[in-house]
Amino acid sequence: MQGFNKYYPPDYDPSHGSLNTYRGLSIAYLYIGWSTELAIILGKHALGDRARKLDQGILITRFELPFNIWCGTCNNHIGMGVRYNAEKKRIGNYYSTPIYSFRCKCHLCDGWFEIQTDPKNTRYIVVSGARQKDEDWNPEENGGFAIHDTEGAAAPVDPLAALEKTTDAQNRLIKVEAPRLESLQSLSEQYNADPYTLSTKVRKRFREDKKVEQQKRKADDHLKNRYGFPVSLNLVEEDEASAKAAKEEWERGRRDLATQQNSKRRRLEVGHMSIYTPSSKTSTSLSKSTSKNPIESLRAHILDNTARQTNSLRRPK
């Protein structure tokens, strides 16, 4: 930490004034190139040349222009950010905030200009010797939309309307908002009266729901393993609607299976009758009708041979 203490000699008396006045000198280090020289200046202020007008309430400070200005003496443009050794002086107060004045000398001529702080509007103003460059941005000139005051001038206040509004607000506060706040407060007290009991009830209900969920998951896994369902399949929770839909689907499938079995049985009976009860006229007509189709002709020939062999087996010896 940098030390800010000063050495007071044993013979120092506060009636002598400051240490610089008492000692009659001040010590400063002058940096010249690579060498350092020690200079002893008699009767000089600690702030050096910056305090040469301190008896007039003026302190020399480094001041940077907050905006663009036109010098009033040479009429030259000075850009924002140019720095000057300004004479800083306190000229008044805005409530408890001090107002400072900065007096600068133009670097392009011998003219002086003065800029003051404006705490009320939180800005700087040019007092004399120059004029601020007007840089107000107009949205209409730059392809934008103008900003209009939609509120307009405030209408005069009607005392009766204001009183009625105040009365309505008070009635609402008494009839609506106050009971609502009381109910919320009582509800909060009810919830926070016995936190241990409430926490126990919540944890007990959570454990019961967790057990039910685990049993359901176990039953679903058992069904998936039994019927070879994929693990990622989500089973529908059983209820009356799902049970009714499943029963209707099972009945429909059962009717379809019975219909298929009956049609297959009828086809088999027709085939057996055509094999065991043949006739020569039928076989002859069949062979004539199917002579054009080789596959049908082969089928008729096989059936005719089978019928003949069956008839020969039935004859008595």
Side-chain angles (χ1 to χ4, degrees), residues 98 102 162 195 206 209 253 259 264-265 288 313:
F102 299 90
F206 174 74
D209 295 342
T259 303
K264 185 176 180 181
R265 188 179 300 108
K288 290 181 179 180
L313 292 174

Side-chain angles (χ1 to χ4, degrees), residues 89-136:
K89 184 178 181 180
R90 181 171 179 174
I91 60 175
N93 289 326
Y94 175 72
Y95 294 102
S96 60
T97 305
I99 300 176
Y100 292 103
S101 171
F102 299 90
R103 187 169 178 266
C104 311
K105 184 178 181 179
C106 179
H107 66 287
L108 301 174
C109 63
D110 293 334
W112 291 79
F113 59 88
E114 184 177 353
I115 298 177
Q116 292 182 3
T117 59
D118 186 7
K120 181 179 180 180
N121 301 314
T122 62
R123 59 190 298 268
Y124 290 90
I125 56 175
V126 180
V127 178
S128 61
R131 68 180 188 274
Q132 181 180 354
K133 184 179 179 181
D134 187 10
E135 295 179 333
D136 292 338

Side-chain angles (χ1 to χ4, degrees), residues 216-226 231 235:
K216 181 178 178 300
R217 189 182 301 111
K218 186 176 180 181
D220 293 346
D221 294 341
H222 178 70
L223 289 176
K224 292 177 183 178
N225 295 332
R226 182 177 180 180
V231 180
L235 300 179

Side-chain angles (χ1 to χ4, degrees), residues 23 28 36 47-48 84 94 96 139 154 204 257:
R23 297 175 63 184
T36 304
L47 295 177
Y84 293 96
Y94 175 72
S96 60
K204 182 179 179 181
L257 180 60

